[in-house]
Amino acid sequence: MKKKTILCIVLYINISLLLFSENLNLIDNDKLDVFFDIKIPEQLVKNHIAGAVVAVVKNDKIVFLKGYGYIDKEKKIKTDPNKHLFRVASITKLFTWTAVMQLVEKEKLDLHKNINAYLDFKIPDTFNEPITIFNLLTHTSGLQDKYYDIRPNNIGEISSLGSWLKTHVPQRGFPPGEQIAYSNYGAALAGYIVELISGIPYERYIKENILIPLQMDRTTVLQTIPDHLKNDVANGYFFKNGVYQKAEFELMEDIPAGSMSTTASDLTKFMIAHLNYGKFKDIQILKEITAKTMQKIHFKHDNMLNGMGLGFIGNNHNGQKIIGHTGNIEAFHSIMAILPEHNMGIFISYNTDSAAELTYGSFFKKIINYLFPQEEDVYYEKTKTASSAIKQFLGSYRVNRVSSSSVEKIGELFFSMKVSESNGLLILESILGKQYFIQISKNTFQELNHQETVVFKSINKKLHLFVSSAPTMAFKKHDWYESHTFQLILINICLMLFILIFIISIVKSIKEKQRLAWIISGAIVLLNLSFIIGMLIVSVDLYTMILTGNVFFLKILLVLPLLSVLLLPVSIYCFIQHQKKNDWKLYNKIIYIVSLVNEVVFIWLLFYWNLLGFQF
């Protein structure tokens, strides 16, 4: 009887292992074909995307590799995942971080040493704590992320990496190690340190120490694409007004942060190397302990949230540990994710601007739901929370990665969060839509479908919001005067008063003998109205102007409010003179005081948004 029991147990284990093995094979083959062959063509049609590539690796093998749509719609050239190079943008950073860790292994770099010890210029000592290599890898340097002059107009305008970094040092927003704030400049800085310490250009280092060992012969970080590859680079597209428009090859100054062009099949080799903790076939590009250290989460804002490894962005869905990176430039959008516990990696890249929303998590979650479904859906009980318990969290929040010391601060308008409450549920509004949460602890809220977690924490006595799906940034609560609602009301009041005062100033300048005060008042209003109208006109191309550094017209516009500021003391002097003479009626005095106050309020608005002067 005992022998039969043991035999049954052994038989059960063997059958279970067999079934498990068959399930993995199903995932590797049939399941992937069915899923991607339905979903990707759907996306190409629904989202108006020219082409896409998908690659999946598992257990050191490519288990799925396919191209969809076109890399050249005009010539009807179909996408080939083995041949055609896609721009993978910020996925380049993982190669930069790998290069940094190679030098750490060789003891040429120290993760916890002040980066100024390695640079040939100095990052300002704004805070007592120095910025370290570790801070760069985990995006906790506190460096503000700036986009000004980051996109040259042509290949001849590209500066050397070092010279560009030296002339575009951003301000430090907060002490290193305090919070995560994604920084392209920080990644470029790390690439320059690789260049300085290794003694060879960054592009050459990446080629000789990562690309060649991994046999990635159809990959380059050069923006002058090598002759044997240049005819195989996928076109990028913009979909506008129902038409596909071919995009120019997007150039960048911060090369280590996003210049790579690669094929899907080449990138599988990089994924396999990291899944094997630094080893590809018989080549070891990193020691096992180093690769494991990179994949370990080293910084998170809260234990309920995802965090940062050394370069790898951590995530978790359906209980699956996921690390990787997204890559987004204007016409290319990509995601690379590896699941270490399943020895599996997934790479997807699209070549059209309209694919942007697909790489920010929702589609990847669908992939994980399909491959690794939860045994049963998890829902928290929908119990209402007292409004008083949520009240302290209500308001608007600004993202910490946007430069708050330059004209780029206007980006807050597009990357902010609004928190409201309805029927005991916390509502989170962003550019991605509305999400509904219930309170599960004092400062923590869980989305009703269990997909998202939000945590509120105080940093330096200021309330911050953290979202589990966005571990590379934090959101700081606006003070009442910083809320977009208040700012919008204020600018509309200023605008209406400017129009009214301008009309009155013209009438008074014509009718009254003592007209200088009204001429000055009208001039101030005219300058401000011209500035507002000009900003509305350039707002369509403002992002591109800042990116390329082509801000000549913007600088002309910024002169206008400066002139109005210079005229303000003259206007005040004129008012004082009329007060001394007592030759104005009460309504004239009231109108003029309103005009002066309105000008002061407008100057404050300009100051708040860094539009007073040339703050780039």
Side-chain angles (χ1 to χ4, degrees):
M1 184 68 182
K2 196 173 183 180
K3 287 182 179 180
K4 286 183 179 180
T5 302
I6 293 172
L7 185 63
C8 287
I9 291 171
V10 171
L11 186 62
Y12 173 77
I13 291 171
N14 281 316
I15 291 171
S16 297
L17 288 171
L18 181 63
L19 289 173
F20 181 69
S21 175
E22 287 178 353
N23 185 52
L24 289 184
N25 289 331
L26 182 63
I27 288 176
D28 294 344
N29 300 303
D30 300 336
K31 252 193 164 183
L32 295 171
D33 284 337
V34 170
F35 183 84
F36 288 118
D37 283 350
I38 292 174
K39 293 295 182 182
I40 301 295
E42 269 182 9
Q43 291 175 350
L44 299 192
V45 174
K46 182 181 177 182
N47 295 78
H48 307 289
I49 302 167
V53 285
V54 180
V56 182
V57 298
K58 187 167 177 61
N59 298 331
D60 301 349
K61 294 180 181 178
I62 297 174
V63 294
F64 187 85
L65 182 65
K66 196 165 186 178
Y68 299 87
Y70 301 95
I71 59 102
D72 190 322
K73 283 192 71 71
E74 294 77 18
K75 296 179 180 179
K76 300 297 181 186
I77 300 175
K78 292 185 177 181
T79 306
D80 184 340
N82 291 298
K83 180 180 180 182
H84 294 131
L85 285 71
F86 276 57
R87 307 290 307 284
V88 294
S90 287
I91 292 174
T92 307
K93 291 180 175 71
L94 292 177
F95 289 77
T96 300
W97 305 133
T98 300
V100 167
M101 294 307 291
Q102 286 177 335
L103 295 175
V104 170
E105 278 187 350
K106 296 175 181 177
E107 298 184 354
K108 293 184 176 182
L109 289 177
D110 184 335
L111 283 175
H112 302 289
K113 194 171 183 178
N114 189 334
I115 58 172
N116 282 328
Y118 302 114
L119 294 170
D120 56 358
F121 67 101
K122 188 177 181 180
I123 300 296
D125 295 322
T126 309
F127 301 99
N128 292 330
E129 302 88 344
I131 297 174
T132 65
I133 301 289
F134 177 86
N135 295 138
L136 298 181
L137 284 160
T138 55
H139 290 290
T140 57
S141 67
L143 290 166
Q144 294 184 354
D145 207 24
K146 288 183 67 175
Y147 290 90
Y148 174 67
D149 196 27
I150 207 168
R151 298 282 184 266
N153 295 297
N154 56 67
I155 202 77
E157 289 186 7
I158 297 177
S159 311
S160 68
L161 180 58
S163 63
W164 184 83
L165 288 168
K166 291 169 188 176
T167 55
H168 292 76
V169 180
Q171 289 193 19
R172 296 173 61 179
F174 44 83
E178 181 182 276
Q179 53 189 290
I180 302 171
Y182 192 85
S183 173
N184 285 298
Y185 185 89
L189 204 58
Y192 185 52
I193 289 172
V194 168
E195 189 171 289
L196 290 172
I197 300 304
S198 67
I200 59 176
Y202 167 83
E203 297 89 340
R204 181 180 160 192
Y205 183 93
I206 295 297
K207 180 179 180 180
E208 293 179 0
N209 293 276
I210 300 176
L211 302 184
I212 290 176
L214 295 182
Q215 300 169 30
M216 297 177 68
D217 53 1
R218 297 190 66 76
T219 300
T220 182
V221 290
L222 293 169
Q223 296 183 98
T224 304
I225 304 295
D227 290 341
H228 71 289
L229 297 175
K230 64 182 180 183
N231 292 328
D232 295 328
V233 178
N235 288 338
Y237 289 92
F238 298 113
F239 186 79
K240 293 181 179 179
N241 303 318
V243 178
Y244 288 93
Q245 300 175 11
K246 184 179 174 182
E248 296 293 326
F249 187 94
E250 190 171 338
L251 301 169
M252 58 192 68
E253 296 280 11
D254 55 341
I255 290 169
S259 70
M260 180 171 283
S261 302
T262 186
T263 65
S265 58
D266 259 16
L267 204 63
T268 63
K269 300 167 185 177
F270 185 71
M271 289 194 290
I272 288 171
H274 273 284
L275 284 166
N276 284 335
Y277 302 120
K279 188 175 183 180
F280 176 73
K281 296 182 178 178
D282 58 347
I283 300 295
Q284 196 86 34
I285 62 167
L286 287 172
K287 294 177 182 177
E288 182 176 337
I289 185 64
T290 305
K292 286 182 176 179
T293 301
M294 286 186 72
Q295 295 180 24
K296 179 184 175 183
I297 300 301
H298 291 269
F299 190 99
K300 56 172 67 176
H301 292 118
D302 188 86
N303 288 332
M304 292 291 290
L305 301 169
N306 298 311
M308 281 296 307
L310 295 184
F312 282 100
I313 300 171
N315 214 319
N316 190 292
H317 186 65
N318 289 0
Q320 307 301 320
K321 177 188 175 183
I322 305 162
I323 56 172
H325 217 290
T326 55
N328 298 281
I329 52 176
E330 289 187 342
F332 285 86
H333 301 278
S334 310
I335 183 169
M336 190 203 96
I338 63 178
L339 292 83
E341 294 168 356
H342 295 279
N343 200 21
M344 185 177 190
I346 301 170
F347 169 70
I348 305 170
S349 187
Y350 305 92
N351 67 339
T352 310
D353 65 330
S354 51
E357 64 182 78
L358 299 175
T359 58
Y360 283 107
S362 59
F363 180 53
F364 189 76
K365 285 180 179 178
K366 289 179 182 178
I367 298 172
I368 300 302
N369 288 341
Y370 183 73
L371 297 177
F372 305 102
Q374 291 183 146
E375 292 184 4
E376 59 181 78
D377 290 333
V378 179
Y379 290 92
Y380 284 97
E381 186 181 352
K382 297 181 182 179
T383 55
K384 292 183 179 180
T385 303
S387 296
S388 58
I390 298 179
K391 187 177 181 180
Q392 61 180 311
F393 306 121
L394 305 184
S396 60
Y397 294 74
R398 68 170 183 261
V399 67
N400 66 348
R401 67 170 290 193
V402 172
S403 174
S404 60
S405 59
S406 73
V407 295
E408 295 176 38
K409 187 176 182 178
I410 201 166
E412 285 184 15
L413 297 172
F414 308 99
F415 296 102
S416 62
M417 294 276 194
K418 181 182 177 183
V419 176
S420 56
E421 179 267 340
S422 178
N423 296 321
L425 295 177
L426 183 138
I427 304 171
L428 188 65
E429 294 181 62
S430 69
I431 56 173
L432 300 177
K434 289 186 178 182
Q435 295 169 282
Y436 296 84
F437 297 79
I438 61 167
Q439 193 166 20
I440 60 173
S441 68
K442 184 179 179 181
N443 298 320
T444 306
F445 293 78
Q446 190 77 55
E447 195 174 5
L448 293 182
N449 62 7
H450 201 64
Q451 298 294 303
E452 191 84 87
T453 302
V454 166
V455 175
F456 295 89
K457 294 181 75 172
S458 181
I459 298 177
N460 295 327
K461 298 180 181 181
K462 293 288 185 179
L463 191 62
H464 286 66
L465 177 156
F466 305 95
V467 185
S468 59
S469 64
T472 58
M473 61 190 78
F475 297 83
K476 181 182 177 182
K477 188 177 182 181
H478 281 128
D479 288 321
W480 64 269
Y481 62 86
E482 296 176 305
S483 73
H484 297 159
T485 301
F486 177 78
Q487 294 274 322
L488 191 60
I489 291 172
L490 212 55
I491 187 64
N492 280 315
I493 291 173
C494 286
L495 181 58
M496 287 187 290
L497 286 174
F498 278 146
I499 294 170
L500 181 61
I501 293 165
F502 184 63
I503 295 170
I504 292 172
S505 296
I506 292 174
V507 173
K508 294 286 185 183
S509 297
I510 294 171
K511 289 186 174 183
E512 296 193 5
K513 292 180 180 180
Q514 300 295 328
R515 59 176 66 108
L516 180 60
W518 295 109
I519 291 172
I520 297 297
S521 177
I524 289 173
V525 171
L526 182 61
L527 287 167
N528 289 330
L529 283 175
S530 299
F531 172 75
I532 292 170
I533 294 168
M535 286 299 293
L536 288 173
I537 292 171
V538 304
S539 63
V540 178
D541 296 315
L542 186 60
Y543 176 68
T544 302
M545 291 168 69
I546 291 172
L547 277 181
T548 58
N550 296 326
V551 292
F552 177 74
F553 185 59
L554 182 57
K555 285 182 176 180
I556 291 175
L557 282 178
L558 290 170
V559 169
L560 301 181
L562 288 176
L563 292 175
S564 74
V565 170
L566 291 174
L567 285 175
L568 181 59
V570 180
S571 185
I572 293 171
Y573 174 78
C574 289
F575 176 74
I576 292 171
Q577 293 304 308
H578 281 288
Q579 279 288 90
K580 287 179 178 180
K581 294 177 183 177
N582 197 26
D583 58 354
W584 267 2
K585 293 180 180 180
L586 180 61
Y587 67 85
N588 278 341
K589 294 177 182 180
I590 292 173
I591 291 170
Y592 213 85
I593 289 171
V594 169
S595 72
L596 290 174
V597 171
N598 194 50
E599 171 65 3
V600 170
V601 170
F602 189 65
I603 289 171
W604 177 82
L605 281 168
L606 294 171
F607 177 79
Y608 177 82
W609 291 105
N610 300 319
L611 295 172
L612 202 59
F614 308 102
Q615 302 182 62
F616 294 104

